[in-house]
Amino acid sequence: SQQGEEDPQALSIQEGENATMNCSYKTSINNLQWYRQNSGRGLVHLILIRSNEREKHSGRLRVTLDTSKKSSSLLITASRAADTASYFCATDANTGGFKTIFGAGTRLFVKA
Amino acid sequence: EAQVTQNPRYLITVTGKKLTVTCSQNMNHEYMSWYRQDPGLGLRQIYYSMNVEVTDKGDVPEGYKVSRKEKRNFPLILESPSPNQTSLYFCASSQRGMGNQPQHFGDGTRLSIL
């Protein structure tokens, strides 16, 4: 089952613009994480937000979490060509087990 | 250097020929997991392990086996591979399996089953 679903599926912007990606999920969660994947490589952890947090920052990244709407957003400010990658949200499905559920991802292309 | 190492990185094989993809981590992590990545579907969890001798199914366990005899190793076994298991596979590990720890990923294994 797909817990997290990212929106949009693909995003193309100019260098210097902001990029916003959204993630929706179905069941209650304890934590939500965002990961980045450069083409075909392993995923790299970006940021973790707990269910009792509403917003978190890390450098040019800003993540928000709205548990009432079961959604999260990742904002990358002042994007660079090097930000070109796929971005995934991942949740722990608070169902008694310890599964991790990833969304299908957003492909971001930043044009120089 | 902290890392998760998968082998092989690439494998082309035929239907029915048993294969094992190895995964090793050097961070003394308790939690390890296998995922497969297919176009448009993101990563789907195959199996995970909370610690030595403790494993559980993810969302797509059919056709796969795992074992966790040592903390550092978590091999993925395909007893009788089929073409629908052609995919990009990732192993990952984290300190704990509570969802509040970042997962560290290997570089992936691209598996083609003819």
Side-chain angles (χ1 to χ4, degrees):
Chain A
S1 60
Q2 285 279 63
Q3 165 82 319
E5 295 185 3
E6 283 88 344
D7 163 50
Q9 291 186 333
L11 181 60
S12 181
I13 59 174
Q14 291 290 140
E15 207 167 29
E17 294 180 338
N18 295 343
T20 300
M21 289 158 269
N22 303 297
C23 167
S24 61
Y25 55 91
K26 296 182 174 64
T27 65
S28 63
I29 61 170
N30 296 313
N31 305 278
L32 185 144
Q33 302 186 40
W34 284 91
Y35 288 82
R36 166 196 167 121
Q37 182 184 34
N38 286 70
S39 182
R41 302 297 303 276
L43 278 70
V44 175
H45 181 260
L46 294 176
I47 197 165
L48 178 150
I49 187 165
R50 304 183 199 286
S51 60
N52 61 355
E53 297 176 312
R54 291 296 165 257
E55 188 171 315
K56 205 160 183 181
H57 296 254
S58 177
R60 292 185 296 112
L61 305 180
R62 172 177 168 250
V63 168
T64 61
L65 179 63
D66 187 335
T67 52
S68 67
K69 295 181 180 177
K70 292 188 170 60
S71 68
S72 173
S73 67
L74 170 67
L75 168 67
I76 303 174
T77 60
S79 62
R80 306 165 182 166
D83 294 327
T84 294
S86 292
Y87 293 83
F88 296 89
C89 68
T91 58
D92 53 1
N94 201 13
T95 55
F98 297 96
K99 289 183 183 180
T100 305
I101 301 179
F102 281 84
T106 292
R107 293 180 64 182
L108 173 66
F109 181 65
V110 182
K111 293 177 278 189
Chain B
E1 181 191 347
Q3 59 186 1
V4 177
T5 304
Q6 297 179 224
N7 279 297
R9 292 290 315 282
Y10 304 92
L11 180 62
I12 301 174
T13 187
V14 296
T15 298
K17 186 176 181 183
K18 180 180 178 179
L19 67 92
T20 299
V21 185
T22 64
C23 174
S24 180
Q25 50 93 4
N26 63 359
M27 295 167 279
N28 201 37
H29 283 171
E30 291 185 358
Y31 186 87
M32 296 186 74
S33 180
W34 276 103
Y35 300 91
R36 61 177 289 173
Q37 183 175 28
D38 301 289
L41 295 178
L43 278 78
R44 293 180 292 169
Q45 193 171 36
I46 303 171
Y47 271 95
Y48 63 90
S49 169
M50 293 296 291
N51 213 325
V52 176
E53 302 291 3
V54 182
T55 63
D56 206 350
K57 296 177 181 178
D59 280 335
V60 289
E62 295 78 19
Y64 304 94
K65 283 176 58 176
V66 292
S67 68
R68 188 93 181 271
K69 293 184 170 56
E70 305 165 282
K71 200 170 187 179
R72 64 183 294 124
N73 296 323
F74 190 45
L76 179 70
I77 302 158
L78 284 72
E79 293 268 4
S80 183
S82 62
N84 65 10
Q85 293 177 299
T86 291
S87 187
L88 178 58
Y89 290 84
F90 288 101
C91 179
S93 72
S94 64
Q95 188 76 25
R96 302 276 191 276
M98 304 300 291
N100 60 359
Q101 303 285 330
Q103 292 189 37
H104 300 256
F105 281 77
D107 284 335
T109 295
R110 192 166 290 278
L111 190 56
S112 294
I113 300 166
L114 307 176

